[in-house]
Amino acid sequence: MYDSNHRAINYLRLSVTDRCNLRCMYCMPEEGIPFMPHGEILSYEEMLHTVRLCVQVGIRKVRLTGGEPLVRKGILQFIERLCNTEGLEEISLTTNGVLLKEMARALRQCGICRINVSMDTLRRDRFHHITKRDAFERVWEGIEEAESVGFHPIKLNVVAIKGLNDDEILDFARLTLRKPYHVRFIELMPVGEKNAWISERFLSIREILDTIRPLGPLRPVNPAPLDGPAERYVLENALGEIGLIGAMSHHFCEKCNRLRLTADGRLRGCLFSDQETDIKTPLRQGRGDQHLLEIIGNTILSNSLAF
């Protein structure tokens, strides 16, 4: 299905929970934030019903997100059912990796195609500073376990922050020379009331690319049909890839193919837009599928470029 800007929408980002077991400094305060009451969160059955309807309007890829999706009780059983949804071509997962070691094999067996792991540093002390949790070894062991059970590629999401982890850009890039990982550098984006802090720490993907260039020639990689917005490159003789996501400096709105379903049942076309549609209420009122399909279709059709 196409939106008002003639973009084919085929990718659903599904947040299964608002809860997280880390407290990353650019995301939430160390003491946490008030979480939604459990009854406000969509049930797994409601999520599956909505996904099946989204498939009818053209969704072919689902990415599970949170919060941290692996903290939700019963997540493996849900994923197994999701992976059996007819019409879906790809189901992936974004995780902070804390619970990945214990769950990697089961996730693979359920049918998850690939895993993205948030990993902003290769240093234990800095990991604790960023996340306020001492879980560096657990996350790294989870990444290695995911590799051992056959996940490929494994994508490492690195939020690049000036004065915090920008001195590790070359270390992450060199990692692709010896590991088949896709390291993706992501620009820091505004979250909550931290905009002034973010402005001071912002590092553009052009600056990141200039930092990497001394390692050697970077060969561009053409995107696949269901790929996200990353600019992809490969260093000579590298086993992995380098990706750059410039959500702030290089808006990819004209190529965006995403629909988003929040944990509390709201459909959004764009993270940067306040426009959203409540699908939870009609779901719980027992409205028919035709009505729900109209809600999904109208949400897509009304989606407009954010920039």
Side-chain angles (χ1 to χ4, degrees):
M1 187 169 183
Y2 291 85
D3 69 4
S4 60
N5 297 286
H6 309 292
R7 297 174 294 184
I9 307 302
N10 55 20
Y11 177 4
L12 176 68
R13 292 180 66 93
L14 171 57
S15 173
V16 299
T17 182
D18 65 331
R19 286 158 170 75
C20 188
N21 48 4
L22 296 181
R23 295 293 180 267
C24 295
M25 60 193 305
Y26 52 78
C27 187
M28 70 168 75
E30 183 174 1
E31 65 273 15
I33 57 175
F35 292 124
M36 301 175 196
H38 185 71
E40 294 298 315
I41 303 293
L42 288 179
S43 68
Y44 285 144
E45 196 58 54
E46 290 168 335
M47 290 181 180
L48 288 167
H49 192 170
T50 304
V51 169
R52 294 184 191 114
L53 295 174
C54 287
V55 169
Q56 292 186 42
V57 299
I59 294 297
R60 295 295 175 263
K61 173 180 177 179
V62 172
R63 174 170 296 282
L64 299 175
T65 67
E68 167 51 42
L70 298 185
V71 302
R72 182 162 177 181
K73 186 177 180 180
I75 187 66
L76 290 175
Q77 291 83 358
F78 166 70
I79 290 174
E80 186 174 18
R81 295 176 68 191
L82 180 67
C83 289
N84 288 324
T85 301
E86 187 174 351
L88 286 181
E89 299 174 15
E90 182 178 316
I91 301 170
S92 56
L93 171 81
T94 294
T95 175
N96 61 31
V98 173
L99 299 174
L100 185 55
K101 182 178 181 179
E102 297 85 352
M103 302 176 77
R105 186 173 298 277
L107 289 168
R108 181 75 171 160
Q109 291 170 345
C110 284
I112 291 291
C113 299
R114 64 175 55 90
I115 286 180
N116 288 22
V117 182
S118 300
M119 191 70 170
D120 297 329
T121 179
L122 298 172
R123 305 178 187 178
R124 176 179 177 173
D125 58 339
R126 185 170 287 173
F127 183 95
H128 188 277
H129 176 65
I130 293 172
T131 68
K132 305 300 183 290
R133 299 292 184 269
D134 186 13
F136 176 80
E137 280 81 8
R138 289 187 66 184
V139 174
W140 194 252
E141 288 170 0
I143 293 168
E144 292 178 330
E145 179 67 12
E147 182 181 359
S148 72
V149 301
F151 278 109
H152 180 79
I154 294 170
K155 297 182 180 180
L156 304 185
N157 291 345
V158 184
V159 177
I161 305 173
K162 186 178 295 184
L164 183 65
N165 65 353
D166 52 338
D167 59 341
E168 294 188 66
I169 290 172
L170 284 176
D171 293 334
F172 273 110
R174 289 190 188 98
L175 185 61
T176 69
L177 294 171
R178 59 184 178 86
K179 284 286 191 178
Y181 301 158
H182 290 195
V183 175
R184 309 197 315 168
F185 296 101
I186 303 171
E187 289 179 346
L188 187 63
M189 292 182 286
V191 177
E193 300 177 355
K194 296 180 177 289
N195 294 7
W197 181 87
I198 286 172
S199 177
E200 296 170 359
R201 299 297 187 107
F202 179 78
L203 193 67
S204 73
I205 59 170
R206 292 305 115 197
E207 293 174 282
I208 296 168
L209 194 59
D210 288 343
T211 301
I212 297 171
R213 288 190 191 281
L215 292 181
L218 288 161
R219 175 174 57 85
V221 177
N222 293 325
L226 291 177
D227 275 359
E231 295 179 20
R232 297 166 59 191
Y233 299 92
V234 175
L235 287 164
E236 189 174 358
N237 298 319
L239 299 176
E241 285 187 11
I242 293 168
L244 301 167
I245 301 179
M248 300 302 295
S249 66
H250 290 69
H251 306 309
F252 44 83
C253 297
E254 72 280 357
K255 296 184 286 187
C256 185
N257 60 346
R258 304 176 185 186
L259 182 67
R260 294 162 177 84
L261 178 60
T262 65
D264 61 339
R266 300 182 185 276
L267 288 166
R268 304 188 70 171
C270 178
L271 286 176
F272 289 98
S273 172
D274 293 330
Q275 185 177 347
E276 59 183 17
T277 307
D278 174 19
I279 197 168
K280 177 177 65 181
T281 299
L283 264 172
R284 294 185 173 179
Q285 289 175 341
R287 303 296 296 269
D289 284 356
Q290 190 56 45
H291 179 75
L292 298 173
L293 283 167
E294 289 175 6
I295 290 174
I296 296 169
N298 289 336
T299 301
I300 293 173
L301 286 172
S302 63
N303 189 33
S304 58
L305 293 173
F307 296 94

